[in-house]
Amino acid sequence: MRRFQSRLIDGSMSVVFAFVAVLTVILLLGIFLFLVFNAVRALQTIPLQDILLSANWNPVSYTKPVWGILALALGTLIIVLLSLLVAFPLGLLTAIYLSEIASVRSREILKPLIEMIAGVPSVVLGLLGLLFLAPILANIFQLSNGLNALTASMLVAIVTMPSIASLCEDSLSELPRGLRDASFALGAGRASTIIHVLLPAAKSGIAGAAMLGLGRAIGETMIVLMVAGNSLSVPRSLFDAVRPMTATIAIEIKEAVTGSMHWSALFVIGLILFLLTLGLNIIVDILVRRRIHT
Amino acid sequence: MRPSRVFVFVFVTALLSGCATPTASVVPVDSAGTSVVIQGSDTEVQMVANLAEAFTADHPEADMSVTGGGSAVGIAALINGVADIANSSRQMTEEEVALAAERDIDVQEFIVARDGLAVVTHPSNPMKELSLEQIGTIYDGTITNWKDVGGPDAPIVLYGRQSTSGTFGFFRDVVVKADYSRDMRQMEGTQAIVDAVVADKNGIGYVGVGYIKDQSANDTPTLNVLLVRSGESEGASPLDREAVLSGKYPIARAIYQYMPSLPAKDSLAHQFLLFEASEAGQALVEESGFYPMTVEDAAQNKVLFDAIQ
Amino acid sequence: MKRHTPDRLFLNLCRLAAFLCVSILLAVLILLIIAGGSVITWSFLTQTWQHQAIESGGIAQAIVGSAIVGIGVVLLSFPLGLGTAIYLTEYSRENIPKRLIELAIRNLAGVPSVVIGLFGLAFFVHGLKFGSSLLAAIATLSIMTLPWIIAASVEALQSVPRKFRDSSFALGATRWQTIHRIVLPAGLQGCLTGAIISMARAMGETAPIIMVGATFYLTGFPHSLSDRFLALPYHTFILATQHAHPQAQSYAAGSALVLMMLTFLLSSVAIGIRYRIRTRKVW
């Protein structure tokens, strides 16, 4: 009897756990469906090229509302590229240090510290950008105002860097010891080993890290909300004020009446962001056969 | 059972159960009870928060929450049914009122204060006065250099609000009369505009007079408040109470609050409106940097109060 | 020697990079203290927000709001996350459903916070009619923390040696008995570290709560889950960008500092537990 009871419980528990696990799939699907459901009104009414190819975003226009997201997308692009330009080398070199150069004790201390950077809320970085970085950069570059793509990118680089460093470090430390030993045996120095042997061996992991950083930078909202300058024009230089897609959603969603065209158009932007990060994640999956990583 | 069969079974069950619609509504907007949710204009948020604070001092059972976000946010919240009072620094448009009516919302208008919208520049900027038309052409992007309006040879950096803002809408409809230049930097709130123009020697911005009321008292002002002239009359300052209330200052406006229906007699919302219209309330309005309502405003409000009785 | 110089250069470059990272962290902390340290007093931490005279009020409501959100999020997402992790490590085989779930988890982790906020707004606030409330915020943020908790729990459970399970099965225990008597107790500390770190990160999120329930002025404290609430990150944001008081930005920095301290405290607890596991647990 006891045996039967415990087998019954065992059977039911496995159902429960499977059910819970499936929840994540349902959640992701649900998010996608909700985005589509709310975006469909705009997608059906506004011609696609007016959305994707027009640089005029003016939902509450004096004359006629226009829904072109090109300027917003370019804003996202310029910030993402600029921040990756800084975060990727920084993250990679730090990862190399952690994995190949640091002593065990240094690594024990440094790894958590770098993780803590990931824990800094982006609103805090935005605040520090407002208070310190923007005036400093305005001074250095003789600008009248430090709220622009450059300032925002530097701060976004700070939030992006820990994920890149973490994934690169994992990729490097997973490489078999034999690689290093063989390289040293052939007489190569540490730096040559790293550059010519290890990095190429870990290249898919490193590329994956870059993609992950890209996704993180695309999704950053608070920093760009506070320091990117919020101008709707197409960015022509690093020093222009921009308004990326994420900031647009965060700013305008609250003034949109549920179900209105404005509401729907913002969901279109949300859908685009969702698909972008989904696509990047799939690429990372292909590149890096990794265990569940954040 | 094999886990994969379990998986299929569970997946299907989950999908089917997900189709069930939830019944109870968790949060009805409680306009008859002890909580008042106020949302909307950033121009008004400080003032209304001050008023709410003073009101709760006398009515400790009252549960008030005041959030900014912009007039359009408040109006949307009103139409979406999640706010009891919407602060708006511009009048609701006919389309908005109609949309509300479609959702069985009978919009009620209340005027709580008057405001002058100041146009500000950096203290180092020698410009002292501009005409309404000039400001309009600056903000729609036609004029891009200070020298075209008689100032130094420097590019004009435009600061304004975001489309969520009633001030954005009001300034556009009354001054710019066209779409804003795309280069205008859309700041999150009036304070952000103030901070930006204080730091930017080529900047120009528009701010509610409450945010700059300390300027005239300052020996070393951090902002330069432009005189605005309209038509043939001489330039007036938004800090000049008479000019604002009489209409001589051309960028003057009423500050509104909207309700989704006639507040119940003696409900918290009703009492709060009475408090705002009272002497104590209006004194607080002035302290918060606005101008008190005019006689005509009070008359319009009286119609509302009479309807409640 | 010539051959060693480029070597040394590269190695030093890497050291420099690591050093830069640490200095960024320190700089953030130091700058915050400079900007906001002066406003942190006991009354600042314990008083409710006084709108007209912000020097006399405090951020108690924001602290409480953030705490409720953090705790609520963990209460909601920890069981679900742990359950998923248990399924993945103990029950599932290397088949398509498992790959699908893992794919879903990784992608969920990558969804931008503002998109999750959009979903929360459409689904919890309007769809399920939670309204702009603590409940909606907790539910929305739980979506974000779920993947983090799953990742940490999977790692913790996988580190429990196989031989534990094998011995248990050999003795005739069912899978569930093995899990709840052997594997879970052994791995729980690791799972909790994940939960604590996720709580810290959820408390720092701003974009989703802007969209689903945070407010700036509130009489008293929230009484129920359907109330609006104050939260530290939103409070910081508003003070930094929209408040007219000349000291507003110092108070913003003060709120941010309190938020950072809370985050650091939680992270240190988590790291401490993790260190203890690493050094004490010998199996």
Side-chain angles (χ1 to χ4, degrees):
Chain A
M1 188 56 193
R2 269 245 310 250
R3 184 77 185 142
F4 174 71
Q5 240 181 8
S6 43
R7 286 185 68 179
L8 187 66
I9 296 177
D10 189 51
S12 358
M13 287 319 285
S14 67
V15 172
V16 167
F17 285 124
F19 181 69
V20 167
V22 159
L23 229 51
T24 41
V25 179
I26 296 180
L27 204 53
L28 192 67
L29 223 71
I31 294 179
F32 176 67
L33 288 175
F34 244 84
L35 289 174
V36 169
F37 183 66
N38 279 286
V40 85
R41 181 166 173 210
L43 288 174
Q44 283 176 335
T45 325
I46 313 168
L48 204 60
Q49 74 257 32
D50 281 351
I51 300 180
L52 296 179
L53 298 179
S54 156
N56 275 318
W57 172 266
N58 201 339
V60 289
S61 165
Y62 194 69
T63 46
K64 180 168 119 65
V66 279
W67 313 96
I69 64 165
L70 193 62
L72 310 174
L74 287 175
T76 302
L77 190 68
I78 195 173
I79 288 187
V80 162
L81 287 180
L82 220 56
S83 68
L84 213 61
L85 212 65
V86 170
F88 181 67
L90 195 61
L92 181 59
L93 291 175
T94 306
I96 295 175
Y97 176 76
L98 281 177
S99 143
E100 308 297 320
I101 305 174
S103 64
V104 175
R105 196 139 53 106
S106 312
R107 193 181 314 149
E108 288 286 305
I109 302 178
L110 273 176
K111 255 199 106 152
L113 280 182
I114 307 232
E115 259 178 53
M116 282 216 187
I117 299 182
V120 176
S122 46
V123 68
V124 173
L125 287 172
L127 177 68
L128 291 178
L130 270 180
L131 294 179
F132 297 107
L133 190 60
I136 292 178
L137 286 179
N139 242 324
I140 297 180
F141 294 103
Q142 291 302 312
L143 304 165
S144 61
N145 183 295
L147 301 180
N148 50 37
L150 182 65
T151 318
S153 309
M154 294 301 104
L155 294 168
V156 174
I158 298 180
V159 280
T160 316
M161 187 270 302
S163 344
I164 297 181
S166 176
L167 199 55
C168 285
E169 202 256 333
D170 282 346
S171 308
L172 285 170
S173 36
E174 276 170 5
L175 292 174
R177 260 219 74 78
L179 276 178
R180 296 169 186 82
D181 293 340
S183 179
F184 292 146
L186 289 173
R190 265 211 287 188
S192 313
T193 306
I194 297 173
I195 299 177
H196 295 121
V197 179
L198 297 181
L199 288 186
K203 67 176 183 293
S204 55
I206 294 176
M211 299 279 116
L212 200 68
L214 207 71
R216 180 74 183 81
I218 289 180
E220 178 46 51
T221 314
M222 290 318 292
I223 293 177
V224 298
L225 199 57
M226 292 166 89
V227 300
N230 269 318
S231 151
L232 291 173
S233 58
V234 172
R236 287 153 301 208
S237 86
L238 308 173
F239 303 115
D240 275 348
V242 292
R243 194 212 266 193
M245 296 190 280
T246 43
T248 304
I249 297 179
I251 292 171
E252 296 186 8
I253 191 64
K254 306 233 295 184
E255 70 166 312
V257 174
T258 48
S260 69
M261 189 61 68
H262 193 181
W263 171 270
S264 194
L266 289 172
F267 270 84
V268 171
I269 301 183
L271 190 61
I272 293 176
L273 283 171
F274 181 82
L275 292 172
L276 263 175
T277 46
L278 194 77
L280 279 171
N281 255 300
I282 293 182
I283 297 179
V284 177
D285 267 356
I286 297 175
L287 286 173
V288 183
R289 181 72 182 91
R290 54 188 170 135
R291 57 187 194 280
I292 301 176
H293 220 281
T294 40
Chain B
M1 276 203 276
R2 285 183 34 231
S4 52
R5 289 209 195 141
V6 171
F7 166 80
V8 169
F9 168 72
V10 160
F11 192 67
V12 172
T13 316
L15 273 182
L16 290 175
S17 61
C19 298
T21 43
T23 47
S25 157
V26 176
V27 184
V29 170
D30 175 31
S31 50
T34 54
S35 84
V36 179
V37 173
I38 307 178
Q39 196 167 6
S41 165
D42 283 323
T43 309
E44 288 175 58
V45 72
Q46 320 264 35
M47 170 186 78
V48 176
N50 290 344
L51 286 163
E53 202 169 64
F55 181 73
T56 4
D58 287 332
H59 295 79
E61 79 287 0
D63 226 339
M64 322 236 350
S65 101
V66 182
T67 320
S71 305
V73 172
I75 293 173
L78 196 74
I79 299 179
N80 289 338
V82 293
D84 296 312
I85 296 182
N87 291 335
S88 176
S89 60
R90 61 166 172 80
Q91 246 184 338
M92 276 179 78
T93 63
E94 284 168 8
E95 293 85 22
E96 287 165 342
V97 177
L99 190 56
E102 271 174 44
R103 303 194 183 191
D104 288 330
I105 293 177
D106 178 26
V107 170
Q108 304 293 323
E109 184 178 282
F110 177 79
I111 299 180
V112 62
R114 285 247 152 210
D115 183 26
L117 213 53
V119 180
V120 293
T121 53
H122 194 263
S124 69
N125 192 323
M127 298 298 304
K128 291 282 171 262
E129 183 179 307
L130 282 175
S131 78
L132 203 62
E133 296 73 33
Q134 282 175 316
I135 302 177
T137 48
I138 288 177
Y139 265 95
D140 71 10
T142 323
I143 296 182
T144 52
N145 194 309
W146 281 111
K147 68 178 194 290
D148 295 327
V149 286
D153 182 9
I156 305 181
V157 182
L158 295 171
Y159 294 97
R161 298 289 304 281
Q162 294 160 351
S163 56
T164 45
S165 157
T167 313
F168 171 101
F170 172 78
F171 194 77
R172 181 190 64 190
D173 295 339
V174 166
V175 179
V176 187
K177 298 202 180 40
D179 275 321
Y180 288 104
S181 157
R182 274 197 333 206
D183 289 318
M184 177 177 85
R185 288 150 187 258
Q186 304 192 345
M187 316 304 284
E188 295 90 57
T190 309
Q191 187 56 39
I193 299 185
V194 169
D195 293 335
V197 177
V198 162
D200 186 346
K201 55 188 199 309
N202 299 329
I204 183 172
Y206 51 85
V207 300
V209 75
Y211 282 81
I212 50 137
K213 60 186 163 113
D214 313 312
Q215 292 301 319
S216 48
N218 248 345
D219 287 327
T220 48
T222 51
L223 279 180
N224 178 20
V225 180
L226 290 179
L227 300 176
V228 181
R229 64 170 186 278
S230 155
E232 293 307 316
S233 58
E234 56 174 20
S237 164
L239 294 165
D240 178 354
R241 181 195 171 119
E242 265 317 301
V244 171
L245 292 180
S246 68
K248 181 162 173 246
Y249 183 72
I251 324 180
R253 56 180 178 169
I255 299 287
Y256 301 91
Q257 284 185 323
Y258 289 97
M259 273 73 58
S261 61
L262 219 50
K265 183 162 166 7
D266 290 334
S267 65
L268 212 55
H270 180 206
Q271 292 182 43
F272 185 60
L273 291 178
L274 285 171
F275 171 69
E276 288 180 314
S278 71
E279 264 193 50
Q282 290 292 299
L284 205 48
V285 161
E286 281 208 64
E287 257 180 60
S288 307
F290 288 81
Y291 296 111
M293 55 174 96
T294 61
V295 174
E296 293 83 18
D297 299 334
Q300 180 185 321
N301 289 342
K302 184 167 183 310
V303 173
L304 178 68
F305 285 134
D306 287 341
I308 299 180
Q309 299 297 351
Chain C
M1 274 191 279
K2 236 176 105 170
R3 198 184 56 167
H4 288 305
T5 326
D7 250 32
R8 196 104 55 85
L9 200 66
F10 180 73
L11 296 178
N12 281 331
L13 202 62
C14 296
R15 288 193 183 96
L16 184 65
F19 176 71
L20 257 174
C21 292
V22 178
S23 15
I24 289 176
L25 188 62
L26 282 175
V28 165
L29 207 54
I30 294 177
L31 287 176
L32 258 189
I33 295 180
I34 293 179
S38 53
V39 313
I40 310 261
T41 59
W42 182 247
S43 78
F44 181 68
L45 295 174
T46 53
Q47 296 272 49
T48 58
W49 187 248
Q50 300 294 344
H51 200 78
Q52 286 173 272
I54 63 180
E55 311 91 23
S56 58
I59 55 171
Q61 296 155 303
I63 297 179
V64 165
S66 282
I68 298 179
V69 167
I71 295 174
V73 163
V74 168
L75 285 179
L76 183 56
S77 54
F78 186 62
L80 294 175
L82 187 57
T84 308
I86 291 177
Y87 176 76
L88 288 172
T89 57
E90 310 297 321
Y91 283 100
S92 66
R93 287 184 294 190
E94 283 304 319
N95 52 16
I96 299 200
K98 179 175 188 213
R99 294 276 297 271
L100 198 68
I101 295 177
E102 288 179 342
L103 192 74
I105 295 171
R106 279 196 290 269
N107 282 303
L108 203 58
V111 178
S113 62
V114 74
V115 175
I116 299 207
L118 264 185
F119 174 72
L121 186 63
F123 187 64
F124 295 120
V125 175
H126 291 295
L128 293 184
K129 299 241 182 291
F130 288 171
S132 283
S133 59
L134 269 173
L135 190 58
I138 290 175
T140 309
L141 287 174
S142 301
I143 302 179
M144 295 188 72
T145 55
L146 198 58
W148 305 334
I149 291 187
I150 296 176
S153 303
V154 163
E155 209 177 298
L157 292 174
Q158 277 177 342
S159 69
V160 174
R162 267 198 70 84
K163 55 188 180 193
F164 283 28
R165 298 178 183 81
D166 292 342
S167 328
S168 180
F169 292 141
L171 289 171
T174 64
R175 210 181 316 213
W176 167 239
Q177 285 172 330
T178 307
I179 292 175
H180 88 263
R181 292 185 198 193
I182 312 282
V183 178
L184 264 187
L188 197 62
Q189 277 188 322
C191 301
L192 280 175
T193 2
I196 296 176
I197 295 191
S198 304
M199 176 167 151
R201 286 170 69 174
M203 282 169 54
E205 286 293 331
T206 323
I209 61 175
I210 293 182
M211 297 158 87
V212 300
T215 182
F216 185 63
Y217 174 77
L218 196 65
T219 338
F221 295 86
H223 307 297
S224 77
L225 284 181
S226 54
D227 286 342
R228 288 172 179 246
F229 59 100
L230 254 57
L232 285 169
Y234 183 69
H235 206 71
T236 307
F237 173 61
I238 298 290
L239 279 174
T241 56
Q242 290 172 29
H243 202 282
H245 195 280
Q247 306 287 24
Q249 290 186 326
S250 309
Y251 284 91
S255 308
L257 196 54
V258 172
L259 180 61
M260 285 292 293
M261 290 293 105
L262 271 172
T263 312
F264 271 177
L265 191 68
L266 289 168
S267 304
S268 315
V269 168
I271 291 175
I273 298 180
R274 202 188 290 167
Y275 187 69
R276 257 192 61 198
I277 299 176
R278 200 103 54 89
T279 50
R280 301 272 197 86
K281 296 245 177 203
V282 179
W283 43 44

